[in-house]
Amino acid sequence: MSTCSVSKGCFVFKPNSNKRKRSSAADYFSKGNDDLDNSELRLDTCLLLWKQIKYETEQLQEDLNKNLFDNLIRFLRQSHLNFKEKKTEWACRMKSSEIPTAAVVLGVNVTDHELTIKSLSGVLQDDVTPFVVSLKSKECPGIKQLLQKVMIQLMGCDVDVDSSDEEEYPKTSPRRVCCSVASLTNWYRNVTKYDLQKTDTESPCKKRTFSSRHWETPPVIIIFKDMESFTTKVLQDFIIMSSHCIREFPLVLIFGIATSPMVIHKLLPHSVSSSLCIELFQCHSSKEHLTKVIDKLLLTSQFPFKISEKVLQVLINIFLYHDFSVHNFVKGFQLSLLEHFYSHPLSVLCCELQESEKRVKLLSHSQFENIRRLPSFRRFVESQVAEKQAALLTDDECLKETTQTLLKDLCSYHENYFPILRCLHAFTSSLPKYPLGKQIRELYCACLEKRVWERDEYESAIQLVRMLAKDELVAILEKCVEILISSSAKCLRKPLEKLEEYVDLLRNLEEASDDQKKSISSLEELQKKTDLYHLQKTLLEMKESRRTKKLTKFEMLRFEIVEFIDGLVRNYLAPAEMQTLHEVMYFSAANTLREHLNATPRAALHTALNNPYFYLKVGNKSETIGLWPHL
Amino acid sequence: TPAKKLKRGISSNLVEEYFEAHSSSKVLTSDRTLQKLEKKKLDQESLQNLLSNVPVAFAAEHEKLIKQHESLFYKWMLQLHLGFNIVLYGLGSKKDLLENFRISLLQDSVHLVVNGFFPNITLKSILNSVTEEVLNHLGTFRSPQDQVDFILKRFKEDASLELYLLIHNLDSQMLRGDKNQQILGQLSSLSNVYLIASIDHINAPLMWDQAKQSMYNWLWYETTTFSPYVEETSYENSLLVQHSGSLALSSLTHVLCSLTSNARGIFRLLVEYQLENKDNPSYLGLSFQDLYQRCREAFLVNSDLTLRAQLTEFRDHKLIRTKRGVDGVEYLLIPVDAGTLADFLQKDNDV
């Protein structure tokens, strides 16, 4: 069957039912790879890791949102209580046409909103009320569709929640198609035994019947997911209509706003927005979210998979310069994970230490050859003595043992790396002008790229640290102690003790006050009247004394501490590329990642049209000239 | 040309020459249009014959390039299964490549091929083939949104369903609308619908805003093939080739897009009237007077003259045809079949 026709544009192909089989991702994974060695294991590892990562990021999102949601729920409770208590009061009756509204500023990263809204409606459903409706602007171009959507979702909600104890209710919610006003009325007559004519008066009555069963009148919450793209008219009409019957029908609106709260006033005229009682809520910024995500995904030794500096740069650049979307960042991370496991045959060893030691034992000869081919391993071999070299290059058994120890080294390297990185960050993040970056991700990039202590920025940072005041220094050192305590690495015990000692010393340090007194007295001397000659002389003396001035005890100690920190950095923060076997855990093909995530179709067309020999790999330009007039 | 001679005769004073050149208000453009070309216009077939005689340069290198892309097939499948969708870009037709992909890997699974370059394709036809042939559902839907909701529900309920969607030229004239893209995005965001599409327009990525991009979840692949766009361009009109047959939907919308809103209104009136009478075999068309009356009522024209001018413009674009009836009255008719007109009206309503 061909897919070329002059009368049709869509072609459906169905396999014969007897032949039909489902092939899973695993098949394609192994088929796409040349060597069949443990491809299944690799895919399993990859999927397992991805599942963990996904779980972690979702957890993180929940934690971050918790604060916002708590505030929202408090607001809902408050407004609802007000509503109930003051129902009889005259003042409230005056105000009762106001709809309590929460405007949530979500930020421009539209991609992440979906998850936030979903968890929000979940939380509201659990804690506040069973009636939560969420509306997308795409679904309601007119007021009719909007009302229909609201009704359907409300009925669905009602039925879902009640069906456990109320058997007589129809389990299936009415189909969207037959949701005309008439059929709605019928449905209502059956359920509520009320005669109703119009859609917008139905809702209050329904409320009455349902609320008699609930011990309190639960509010109905309507979430407008994307406030900006709703048409003004629909919103206005809806708000005006529902504000008329708010007394019977406790309604709460939640607007999801991407830009700024100004947009409410832009979209709604004064007459409409005056019937809203708006309270503003701020969502956490996506930069902060990213910092948390990086913290969780990259700056731990929990996940064996790591990405190299270039890849991290690409991902962060896409985030900062294009979309601000954490969702896309995680997607990029997923892609790099997949690429790594797909393309690198040794990625099978990219797992927990015990597991990887087990896997080393099962490696085949060709895999060992792969290990020998790694550039970092070659470097390692060259640094060994001759007999050892020969053994490593020929004997698989010997290599197996070495590999195990090397993997262990790599693991402990990571364990030490991150606490020390955090300590260094604690120092540099408090400096003026942030020579090594404000965020820890910048510091991480700098450390991954090359030896951090060879950078000029590091030099200036250390200079600045040498000038820190005592209380600042104590604060930072205490932070470092905390970080080191929380990390479980064994080799960091000694630095930890040392640091604690320093903190104690600093606390107990008495200021060498006599030194200061002296300088003060010399200043006083200066202020006395003298002739020019004396003045000059005293000034010279002072200068001399300052140069040779003995350092205070504090300053001595400070130097010592700085030296110590410097040493720590040099010991533990060597870039990953210097480690042997780092290829197993680090994904470094930044280019492919960029191509697949942030492509440039325009540039591709340009090159293809200008110099096609770039793609065709034929000779040079002069040969092809004249042969490509066709396109 | 006479102007040139004149110019040469006059002294070389540059200023004078300048004014001389610009003195006559008539702009000098060449009046040798393609219409006056000596050679008769080619018909489609002879053009095809001529083209097939042209030898392909660098055939071996082409082959290599395509082989290189084909080696990625398994990777694509893997990535599709992990929730990404794939979009191909680059110079050259990607139809054959996708066709190869379909034949080599998709034989055992349900798949749907959509020719986006097909000028009469609509979103409705795509959705219909999903609901009718894949899901075996014989119902009608009130709007595309309803239909998509139904599809989404079915696919979410039944995890064993899966569908591969191959779309050639996702950025074609008919599919590039905001609504169409939104709905296709919703489809592709399903975890058991796997979308693989190709784009060719240089500004194709402008179709997608952030929300759509996150729905599509694209992975971009550069597949420059340099193969000729044979089928894709067969629907395109060219001045060098005689074109026959009725107007296609895309050219209809294309022409109408460039008109004023009143002109569009007039055309709409005509279309609606013709659709109302499509089952009437004795229907001749709308008489000019009748149309004039209707247009006046709708405040679309204010005089006989403007309407005539408008109609002439339509006639130039072959959008309408006039016929004289037995009573000597002019009848206006649109020479397009009713199905296309209905599609057109639907699309116009959406916009």
Side-chain angles (χ1 to χ4, degrees):
Chain A
M1 210 169 139
S2 127
T3 58
C4 177
S5 147
V6 287
S7 60
K8 232 174 104 182
C10 295
F11 308 88
V12 177
F13 296 89
K14 280 185 168 178
N16 302 328
S17 51
N18 54 353
K19 224 169 68 175
R20 189 166 172 179
K21 63 158 183 131
R22 297 192 52 147
S23 33
S24 62
D27 294 341
Y28 302 118
F29 191 88
S30 57
K31 274 183 205 159
N33 270 302
D34 297 333
D35 68 317
L36 291 167
D37 280 2
N38 22 52
S39 63
E40 241 167 75
L41 197 59
R42 253 155 77 189
L43 184 67
D44 285 347
T45 325
C46 174
L47 292 182
L48 188 74
L49 262 179
W50 169 236
K51 220 164 85 191
Q52 281 174 7
I53 287 170
K54 203 170 158 199
Y55 173 76
E56 287 283 341
T57 47
E58 275 163 11
Q59 205 64 34
L60 188 74
Q61 171 116 21
E62 255 169 48
D63 292 350
L64 275 177
N65 283 333
K66 200 169 176 306
N67 194 13
L68 171 74
F69 290 168
D70 283 348
N71 284 340
L72 260 177
I73 288 174
R74 202 174 305 132
F75 163 73
L76 292 176
R77 284 251 159 78
Q78 190 60 42
S79 63
H80 190 57
L81 278 183
N82 283 346
F83 176 81
K84 264 174 69 185
E85 280 168 7
K86 295 181 192 165
K87 215 166 186 174
T88 49
E89 283 172 31
W90 176 245
C92 180
R93 206 169 289 173
M94 289 280 286
K95 274 169 66 183
S96 65
S97 63
E98 276 190 355
I99 310 173
T101 307
V104 185
V105 180
L106 289 169
V108 288
N109 43 338
V110 194
T111 346
D112 301 342
H113 294 174
E114 195 67 26
L115 268 178
T116 316
I117 298 280
K118 207 194 243 167
S119 53
L120 172 64
S121 65
V123 165
L124 291 181
Q125 220 142 30
D126 287 346
D127 291 359
V128 183
T129 163
F131 310 120
V132 181
V133 179
S134 55
L135 296 174
K136 258 190 259 175
S137 66
K138 291 285 179 338
E139 297 164 343
C140 5
I143 185 78
K144 192 178 145 211
Q145 283 97 325
L146 189 140
L147 278 181
Q148 262 182 9
K149 202 88 198 165
V150 171
M151 309 292 315
I152 295 235
Q153 284 203 27
L154 270 183
M155 282 178 213
C157 291
D158 293 355
V159 173
D160 279 350
V161 176
D162 291 340
S163 56
S164 50
D165 45 342
E166 300 279 327
E167 296 299 315
E168 72 264 35
Y169 273 97
K171 284 267 160 89
T172 53
S173 55
R175 278 170 57 218
R176 177 92 169 80
V177 201
C178 60
C179 220
S180 67
V181 178
S183 60
L184 257 183
T185 332
N186 279 338
W187 193 80
Y188 263 97
R189 206 169 290 138
N190 293 340
V191 176
T192 63
K193 312 279 191 291
Y194 266 87
D195 276 325
L196 303 156
Q197 266 88 41
K198 286 190 74 184
T199 338
D200 21 350
T201 51
E202 275 173 51
S203 336
C205 299
K206 178 180 77 104
K207 183 82 257 113
R208 234 175 272 145
T209 54
F210 272 90
S211 53
S212 60
R213 224 172 295 126
H214 288 271
W215 60 273
E216 61 160 351
T217 51
V220 172
I221 299 173
I222 298 184
I223 304 176
F224 292 88
K225 282 186 188 170
D226 35 1
M227 173 87 175
E228 274 90 349
S229 31
F230 271 94
T231 33
T232 329
K233 193 158 180 327
V234 172
L235 265 184
Q236 286 177 23
D237 286 353
F238 180 71
I239 290 170
I240 289 177
M241 265 194 259
S242 42
S243 72
H244 283 307
C245 48
I246 183 79
R247 247 179 297 171
E248 310 288 318
F249 186 62
L251 182 75
V252 180
L253 305 181
I254 296 180
F255 293 146
I257 295 173
T259 49
S260 78
M262 278 303 291
V263 79
I264 298 178
H265 300 290
K266 237 183 215 170
L267 276 177
L268 303 175
H270 182 69
S271 57
V272 175
S273 57
S274 64
S275 62
L276 296 176
C277 175
I278 300 175
E279 189 158 330
L280 198 65
F281 293 90
Q282 190 77 40
C283 196
H284 56 88
S285 81
S286 66
K287 238 167 78 188
E288 189 184 315
H289 191 176
L290 179 77
T291 311
K292 289 267 168 63
V293 166
I294 288 184
D295 211 52
K296 200 102 183 191
L297 290 188
L298 294 175
L299 299 181
T300 66
S301 44
Q302 185 193 354
F303 298 113
F305 173 70
K306 301 264 176 272
I307 56 181
S308 76
E309 184 260 339
K310 288 240 172 64
V311 177
L312 185 60
Q313 276 298 357
V314 166
L315 289 180
I316 286 179
N317 281 351
I318 292 178
F319 176 84
L320 286 180
Y321 297 108
H322 292 273
D323 53 10
F324 278 121
S325 154
V326 178
H327 180 261
N328 281 352
F329 183 86
V330 176
K331 175 189 158 190
F333 194 72
Q334 183 195 3
L335 182 66
S336 47
L337 182 76
L338 180 61
E339 276 293 320
H340 179 65
F341 277 93
Y342 186 81
S343 57
H344 208 289
L346 284 177
S347 56
V348 67
L349 297 180
C350 182
C351 51
E352 305 282 312
L353 185 60
Q354 287 90 4
E355 184 63 33
S356 65
E357 277 177 352
K358 252 184 252 165
R359 287 181 192 179
V360 169
K361 282 176 198 150
L362 303 172
L363 283 187
S364 67
H365 178 69
S366 64
Q367 284 284 49
F368 281 120
E369 284 302 311
N370 280 332
I371 291 181
R372 286 185 188 120
R373 242 173 269 139
L374 292 178
S376 69
F377 186 76
R378 281 216 207 124
R379 211 165 43 216
F380 170 73
V381 170
E382 273 156 25
S383 65
Q384 302 293 318
V385 285
E387 304 96 70
K388 181 88 175 163
Q389 271 182 12
L392 279 175
L393 291 178
T394 52
D395 184 16
D396 278 355
E397 279 308 311
C398 172
L399 182 58
K400 200 179 279 181
E401 271 164 34
T402 329
T403 315
Q404 277 171 350
T405 51
L406 283 175
L407 283 175
K408 211 176 278 175
D409 285 350
L410 201 56
C411 186
S412 62
Y413 161 75
H414 279 141
E415 266 176 9
N416 300 335
Y417 188 93
F418 295 110
I420 299 291
L421 185 73
R422 277 166 214 271
C423 287
L424 182 61
H425 179 66
F427 270 98
T428 56
S429 62
S430 59
L431 298 178
K433 284 194 192 159
Y434 311 106
L436 275 170
K438 199 173 181 180
Q439 307 278 354
I440 194 163
R441 58 160 192 269
E442 295 164 73
L443 186 66
Y444 185 47
C445 275
C447 291
L448 278 176
E449 196 190 351
K450 60 176 190 183
R451 288 190 184 95
V452 70
W453 55 90
E454 285 171 359
R455 289 173 163 269
D456 295 341
E457 292 93 343
Y458 181 77
E459 202 58 40
S460 60
I462 287 293
Q463 287 291 353
L464 285 171
V465 170
R466 287 205 182 104
M467 284 180 259
L468 278 178
K470 181 185 158 198
D471 39 356
E472 284 176 272
L473 194 60
V474 170
I476 293 171
L477 281 179
E478 273 170 354
K479 217 191 280 175
C480 289
V481 168
E482 250 170 56
I483 293 167
L484 289 186
I485 285 175
S486 62
S487 80
S488 57
K490 273 176 231 133
C491 3
L492 293 179
R493 283 280 165 264
K494 234 166 84 186
L496 176 63
E497 278 162 21
K498 192 87 179 167
L499 273 182
E500 273 169 344
E501 194 183 315
Y502 278 133
V503 173
D504 283 347
L505 270 179
L506 273 178
R507 281 211 189 111
N508 303 332
L509 192 66
E510 299 246 348
E511 201 72 57
S513 46
D514 53 330
D515 209 27
Q516 265 187 348
K517 268 179 202 159
K518 203 163 134 195
S519 64
I520 289 170
S521 69
S522 67
L523 270 176
E524 278 167 356
E525 232 168 74
L526 249 181
Q527 278 152 2
K528 281 179 201 163
K529 266 189 190 164
T530 45
D531 55 22
L532 197 63
Y533 172 72
H534 275 285
L535 180 70
Q536 211 167 23
K537 205 174 150 196
T538 39
L539 277 177
L540 268 178
E541 267 173 13
M542 273 171 71
K543 208 171 164 189
E544 202 77 0
S545 70
R546 199 169 292 164
R547 194 175 294 151
T548 57
K549 191 169 73 180
K550 248 183 74 194
L551 292 166
T552 60
K553 230 165 146 194
F554 166 65
E555 278 163 336
M556 296 275 276
L557 198 54
R558 189 164 64 184
F559 271 121
E560 208 180 314
I561 292 171
V562 170
E563 285 298 313
F564 175 68
I565 293 291
D566 195 35
L568 272 185
V569 167
R570 276 164 205 265
N571 272 338
Y572 293 111
L573 286 188
E577 261 146 61
M578 307 312 288
Q579 307 299 314
T580 314
L581 287 189
H582 71 88
E583 286 95 340
V584 171
M585 297 191 175
Y586 281 80
F587 173 70
S588 55
N591 229 1
T592 53
L593 198 66
R594 193 202 300 270
E595 263 169 35
H596 295 327
L597 286 180
N598 205 7
T600 52
R602 236 167 210 278
L605 282 183
H606 184 88
T607 359
L609 286 171
N610 270 326
N611 44 348
Y613 68 98
F614 173 76
Y615 287 101
L616 291 176
K617 311 258 177 351
V618 274
N620 53 19
K621 203 167 185 175
S622 58
E623 274 179 49
T624 56
I625 277 179
L627 286 170
W628 286 100
H630 316 310
L631 287 168
Chain B
T1 55
K4 255 186 192 165
K5 269 178 207 156
L6 204 74
K7 224 189 281 174
R8 213 169 289 154
I10 292 174
S11 71
S12 60
N13 190 339
L14 277 175
V15 181
E16 274 181 20
E17 212 171 295
Y18 176 82
F19 285 111
E20 187 65 34
H22 289 85
S23 60
S24 70
S25 60
K26 224 174 84 182
V27 187
L28 290 176
T29 55
S30 166
D31 53 356
R32 292 183 198 157
T33 58
L34 281 168
Q35 309 264 330
K36 291 196 176 168
L37 212 60
E38 276 298 301
K39 235 174 189 167
K40 238 3 245 155
K41 275 187 181 177
L42 303 163
D43 58 0
Q44 191 82 37
E45 210 171 310
S46 56
L47 178 78
Q48 214 108 90
N49 285 339
L50 280 178
L51 282 180
S52 63
N53 290 336
V54 180
V56 182
F58 302 111
E61 281 83 1
H62 271 175
E63 202 63 20
K64 222 162 96 190
L65 204 61
I66 289 169
K67 277 269 139 44
Q68 198 183 324
H69 296 319
E70 279 173 2
S71 66
L72 291 171
F73 280 175
Y74 284 112
K75 197 170 174 187
W76 290 353
M77 280 305 257
L78 175 69
Q79 283 168 344
L80 286 176
H81 274 272
L82 291 181
F84 295 104
N85 291 310
I86 290 185
V87 61
L88 309 178
Y89 66 93
L91 188 71
S93 164
K94 289 159 283 282
K95 180 141 201 299
D96 292 336
L97 189 69
L98 280 182
E99 199 61 20
N100 278 347
F101 175 68
R102 184 179 81 77
I103 288 169
S104 58
L105 284 182
L106 297 185
Q107 283 304 328
D108 294 337
S109 37
V110 186
H111 54 284
L112 171 65
V113 180
V114 177
N115 288 346
F117 50 82
F118 184 65
N120 274 1
I121 196 150
T122 51
L123 185 72
K124 195 146 178 283
S125 59
I126 301 177
L127 292 180
N128 276 346
S129 41
V130 174
T131 48
E132 280 165 19
E133 297 188 49
V134 178
L135 298 178
N136 295 321
H137 173 84
L138 296 170
T140 49
F141 299 91
R142 292 166 66 213
S143 69
Q145 190 63 51
D146 275 334
Q147 203 162 358
V148 169
D149 287 344
F150 172 77
I151 295 173
L152 294 184
K153 211 173 128 224
R154 279 294 299 274
F155 271 96
K156 266 180 199 153
E157 274 168 7
D158 190 356
S160 71
L161 278 173
E162 54 177 6
L163 172 68
Y164 293 86
L165 202 58
L166 278 85
I167 304 183
H168 303 290
N169 288 65
L170 187 62
D171 52 346
S172 69
Q173 198 56 244
M174 305 310 297
L175 295 180
R176 69 172 62 147
D178 189 45
K179 261 196 189 151
N180 295 346
Q181 290 295 328
Q182 170 78 25
I183 284 175
L184 286 177
Q186 276 180 319
L187 265 189
S188 68
S189 64
L190 281 173
S191 63
N192 38 5
V193 171
Y194 313 112
L195 174 69
I196 174 162
S198 68
I199 56 171
D200 279 303
H201 197 280
I202 194 164
N203 286 330
L206 294 183
M207 293 189 295
W208 304 310
D209 58 12
Q210 261 195 36
K212 288 201 194 76
Q213 274 197 4
S214 77
M215 275 197 293
Y216 275 119
N217 204 7
W218 287 130
L219 277 191
W220 297 76
Y221 274 91
E222 179 174 345
T223 52
T224 305
T225 59
F226 289 107
S227 28
Y229 290 99
V230 179
E231 266 184 70
E232 284 92 331
T233 51
S234 64
Y235 298 99
E236 300 266 317
N237 293 324
S238 150
L239 283 175
L240 282 172
V241 185
Q242 242 170 14
H243 40 86
S244 59
S246 66
L247 277 170
L249 182 52
S250 66
S251 42
L252 201 65
T253 43
H254 214 97
V255 170
L256 275 225
C257 272
S258 57
L259 292 177
T260 62
S261 61
N262 275 358
R264 256 182 301 208
I266 298 172
F267 193 75
R268 259 180 84 95
L269 272 180
L270 264 173
V271 170
E272 274 163 9
Y273 190 76
Q274 186 160 341
L275 280 181
E276 275 167 29
N277 291 300
K278 68 177 174 201
D279 300 326
N280 182 2
S282 62
Y283 170 68
L284 273 176
L286 192 61
S287 71
F288 179 78
Q289 277 310 318
D290 224 0
L291 177 66
Y292 178 58
Q293 201 55 42
R294 280 158 187 265
C295 287
R296 275 202 74 126
E297 275 163 17
F299 292 108
L300 290 173
V301 293
N302 55 3
S303 77
D304 203 342
L305 223 62
T306 39
L307 180 59
R308 273 198 196 281
Q310 205 57 66
L311 290 182
T312 323
E313 189 167 342
F314 287 158
R315 204 172 303 141
D316 288 348
H317 285 293
K318 301 195 176 98
L319 291 181
I320 59 167
R321 221 167 45 201
T322 49
K323 229 194 265 176
R324 272 196 198 281
V326 277
D327 46 355
V329 182
E330 247 182 320
Y331 286 104
L332 304 167
L333 203 64
I334 304 174
V336 181
D337 60 306
T340 317
L341 280 187
D343 281 344
F344 163 75
L345 217 53
Q346 165 96 44
K347 201 169 145 70
D348 209 36
N349 283 340
D350 286 350
V351 178

